Amino acid sequence: MTAYDQEYDGQTTYRPVSTLAVLALVTGCLSALALSTQVLWVVPLLAAGLATVALRDTATGTPPKAGRGLALIGLALAVGFGCQAVGFAAADHWIGRNRAVETAIGWREAVRAGRWAEAHGFCAPAALPAPPDLFAGGGQEPHEHAGEHSHDHDKNEDDSPALEAFRQLPSVGLVEDCGQVAVADCRRDDAYAVGGWRVTLALSDCEGPVVTGRPQQLVLVLLPEIVRVPLLTPGATRTQQVERWQIIRFDPDE
């Protein structure tokens, strides 16, 4: 490749365009892919490296090669997209960590206050005990006596079999029995689900008949999911997407 004519040492010469400068510009443009996934963070690094070498390539030789501007543009794109990708990842990590801690604290406070329906709602089905067999031993149709008992069911929601089974979980008992339950650690954990978070609660001032061998910490694994909910505007029929955080695993859980 050749560029424009230029006077060099009193002669009209042709300056070849640096191939490295062209590659630096191309990879600099491709650095935008780093915004989509951390796996592609290598692209801005590659572009910056090519641009650095290209700048040296255009500064040497007789005559020097053209393409310094292309290399500078590629370097600027690599640095810009690279910094933006790192910034977005850091902000996403900070927001996710705060949401995970808030969810864990909300569940802890609901358990300690005895708001069992609210605490139960923080948990995904995978973290809950198996629902009781409604037909075990009776064989009755589900609609029998529904009318005469519906009002009592609404009044005694916290006494339902599902909530009673939830209250018997060892993890729930730990939070009930310990006077101090504080967040000790929060980090990303993809072991159980991609995008999951692991929140560790430190337990202290515990009561109960068996204190020896009691776990000193409780681990909650949380996962955000996107759900659609109706708009709160009166008369609105559309829905909106919201992020809901749920506990998908307790440790210890047995």
Side-chain angles (χ1 to χ4, degrees), residues 34-202:
L35 300 175
S36 61
T37 174
Q38 295 184 15
V39 176
L40 297 178
W41 281 12
V42 67
V43 179
L45 295 176
L46 176 61
L50 285 173
T52 302
V53 177
L55 288 175
R56 180 176 298 178
D57 186 44
T58 56
T60 59
T62 306
K65 295 181 181 179
R68 178 178 175 82
L70 300 180
L72 290 174
I73 294 175
L75 180 61
L77 290 173
V79 173
F81 284 125
C83 292
Q84 193 173 4
V86 173
F88 283 171
D92 183 69
H93 185 275
W94 182 81
I95 293 173
R97 186 182 188 281
N98 285 348
R99 292 296 305 275
V101 170
E102 289 174 2
T103 302
I105 292 176
W107 176 81
R108 179 198 66 183
E109 294 304 317
V111 170
R112 292 171 67 86
R115 301 193 300 269
W116 302 115
E118 180 182 343
H120 185 275
F122 277 99
C123 304
L128 298 172
D133 189 353
L134 298 179
F135 304 102
Q140 296 181 347
E141 294 295 328
H143 62 272
E144 291 185 7
H145 310 295
E148 59 185 270
H149 293 298
S150 59
H151 182 65
D152 292 337
H153 173 75
D154 293 338
K155 293 176 59 178
N156 302 308
E157 181 183 4
D158 286 353
D159 296 329
S160 68
L163 292 182
E164 183 61 30
F166 170 73
R167 294 178 63 178
Q168 299 304 317
L169 286 175
S171 300
V172 175
L174 286 173
V175 174
E176 281 191 286
D177 296 341
C178 296
Q180 297 291 330
V181 183
V183 176
D185 185 44
C186 179
R187 64 184 63 186
R188 282 288 300 269
D189 186 355
D190 296 331
Y192 300 103
V194 177
W197 284 82
R198 182 185 184 93
V199 179
T200 302
L201 302 179

Side-chain angles (χ1 to χ4, degrees), residues 227-243:
V227 297
R228 300 197 69 89
V229 299
L231 291 173
L232 299 179
T233 306
T237 58
R238 297 188 303 170
T239 60
Q240 61 179 347
Q241 289 186 341
V242 298
E243 187 180 60

